[in-house]
Amino acid sequence: MCRLALKTANDPFSPYEVLEAMEAMKEGYDGSGLGLLLRGMEFEDFKYNPRFPILSGIAESKKAWKRLDRFMEDRGYELKYDHKFHTDRSHMDGKDRYRYFLRAYRMPEEFQGKPMGDKDKEDELMETRLALRQDGEKHGGDLSVFSFWPDVAMIKEVGWPLQVGNLLSLHDGQIKSRVCMAQGRQNTNYGINLYACHPFFVQGISTMTNGENTAFVPIRDWLLGQPFKGYMGYQSDSEVFTHILHYTLKQLNLPLQAYKHIITPLSLKELDAHPQGDFLKGLRNVCKRLIIDGPNAVIGTLPDETCLLVMDQKKLRPATVGGRQGAWAIASEMCGVDAMIPDRDPSLDFQPMREHTVIIPPARKELEIWSQYDQFPLSLAA
Amino acid sequence: MVPIRSVPIEPGSLTYHDLPWIIEHREDRCTLCGQCTSVCPKECLHLTYRRQRLPNLEVLSSKRGSEYRTFVGIRQRTDMVHSCIGCGMCAMVCPNEAISPVPNTVENRTLFLNNQKGEAYKRGGRRNTTGASLLDRIMFDRISMLTDPALDAGRHEFTLSTTIGRILSPEEYLKRIQQGGWIPPTREVFPFVIGSMSFGALSPNMWLGLLQGVAYCNEVLGIPVVMCTGEGGCPPWVLKSPYLKYIILQIASGYFGWDEIIRAIPDMQCDPAAIEIKYGQGAKPGDGGLLMWYKVSKLISRLRGVPEGVDLPSPPVHQTLYSIEESVMKMIQTLSMAFDHKVPVYPKISASTSAKSVLNNLVRNPYAGGLLIDGIDGGTGAAYNVSMDATGHPVASNVRECYLDLAAQGMQNEVPIYAAGGVGKNGNVAQNGMALIMLGASAVHIGKYIMQASAGCLGNEQNRCNVCNVGICPKGITSQNPKLYRRLDPDKVAERVAETFMAIQTDVKKIMAPLGRSQSLPVGMSDAIGINDKDAADRLQIKYVC
């Protein structure tokens, strides 16, 4: 069972804080992968403009690095900032990575006037990421790209959380963010692979999980059949959670609350008594192929810095949310929440049940705890 | 040598060890009660007078020679009409275990003579192949361990239902909700459906028992089982009853019984579960239904609107059908319209290399509510032996191919695929059904299995019994002769139906729980299955395990 930690705060903080929370929960992972997602970026040596998309990844060789440079240039991207991690190679554990990179780009001219949310712009960012990923795969995996999106940075590495933190000197205050999520992986059925490290990312939407999705293969098969190019990868069974969330919000244009109704719908008997039972029964029917199974807690963030937590239907995984106005934490263990926000009232911590979606809105004033039994916030469902 | 003319043999003469079944009769146990002879559906047993030689073995006496005794014995007839079918009813009724048929393992010469009077061999039952079927050999090998603990089949809640009817893409559903469009009707049913067996093929008692059992499953046990009528229509009292919702009405190329059904529409209290349009059947692909004259009783003739005592061979194709487009345009849409677009309509075809093109046509038809593919191991009440044994396509690879084809289009389960043909052939009904579901079927249909499990049908793949076609079913399951079907108590059949589905439900949970599945039926969960046959694994795109 993997361990999860997410912190969201009005004041940017170092990702090392979240790694320390991971350390507090260290019985739960085996060092087979660590992933970090940072959102709401702040760099010490650069005044970052959140319009610029940040490309995150690893180049294994100088050749790959050059190829990346050339590719981005040819595509019309202008490099604005190239973050250099202070790499302490003594923590590298036999690997010989050439370069971990976070690079901010100005978009090609034709996209500059377009706001975020513009479909062409979002597709361009995703397609660029996918093209680079494919290029790396074509060259024996010498280039890995995790995200390419404004205000988002991702780090993935095989190893223990603090080891990776120390390797990249994340404690030096060079990078901070308002949201940071981390996952320490307990490798189960699928291979040890950088792309298998959570969190997973597609078009600004990201989730991570501590569990196993036993309905993975049919869901994957369905997503792969969709015309949207971003539904690919699947080195981990948990990647489908991210893609279903993306599908719910971006393809179906449904509110966040629909996510829970899609992955773990209420039973037909429960829906009979629901105020929008007919609509939700129909939704359950058409989205039956996306019903997840197995033990899971899914933690995610959205482009507007909303954070969320949902559980599987049988609630076979733990997760706790706690905090105070301005700073909140979600973790798979209570000690993780303690480590991230010690100055809170723990009696107000909340452990969601199977019907709940915990939402931390971008204002971070209070938690929203939404139940599937509640009225569904959509006019067409009435 | 005796001149040949004095020996009463003909080219078609047989002796008892030429027959597929040999009656073993123990003189010492027989009380001559006569029950075996009266129960035998083939009248193959008869009482004869026999003479036995008792040699004199007195060594010291000068007396020589033998004495003789005369006794009454039971013998089997050896002509084709009366040859034993191995049903074993004689053994079942014998109070003294004095008689039973045993399979002749040496040779079966009736194979050369079963074309009497120029009639090609017809029978009921299934393709006669024995041994473990491909489905039997599929293993559920992805067991949840360590991080995803296996579930508790006895205590956790499971969602086992499946959907009959067209499923829209989520985008299309939301669009229609917004614009007030038609949402195709669907039904949530138990994934093991009682397959189409007509009123006519089955006796009235059997049919009633099944319906009672199905109603009990739904209303008392909460297992939403549905059953399909087959081609012979549906008794009017059922059409106008609240039980119609558990019934899939079948329309086939003979259109038997549809006058009654259409006339009953205004009086229906509820909609039927679905409409099945039969274009083909796994047991006799490319051939129409067949109800032989023996079974066209007064009741059946009334229900089907035909004269009594005539053969009812349905044509191989629908007479209105000149192309699949025609079928799509006319039949599916018309039947959907007849029930106010509130009842799912789906076609049934025999498994075939052309199944994929049928499926792709249905994908483009908004009224098509699924596709039932019936494989070569399917059963039938009457068919030509050659059709049953040699014509058709196994169901597993056909279903898998169709599923993968839909998956490639991102449309799997939008036109749900139902599988039939040989499910539970060797008794492993839940295992067979779940294997097909994991290969991509949304539900399976079971016919022969349910006859065997709920009414004690004696037929098997060694050609035991298999006389459903001529209406002499010794258990009264497929006979229209009151003397025979009175042997079958509908209440007992209903009880067995309920017991069978309770057990299937438990078995299904016992299969799903170790796989960590409980929220939805594991349709297409191909990572959960493996087979110890490399070629089959490659063909089905599942794991080879050994």
Side-chain angles (χ1 to χ4, degrees), chain A residues 214 279 288-289 293 314 317, chain B residues 147 157 163 173 414 516 518:
Chain A
T214 49
F279 170 76
K288 213 177 205 177
R289 294 154 284 194
D293 222 328
K314 297 216 176 314
R317 279 291 179 269
Chain B
T147 58
E157 274 178 15
T163 309
Y173 170 72
E414 287 189 17
S518 63

Side-chain angles (χ1 to χ4, degrees), chain A residues 277-319:
Chain A
D278 284 343
F279 170 76
L280 291 175
K281 263 191 249 177
L283 188 68
R284 178 189 195 270
N285 201 20
V286 295
C287 293
K288 213 177 205 177
R289 294 154 284 194
L290 299 176
I291 296 177
I292 64 159
D293 222 328
N296 287 289
V298 183
I299 296 175
T301 69
L302 307 182
D304 66 355
E305 297 184 20
T306 298
C307 298
L308 72 136
L309 162 65
V310 293
M311 312 299 296
D312 66 274
Q313 183 74 4
K314 297 216 176 314
K315 203 181 181 303
L316 291 169
R317 279 291 179 269

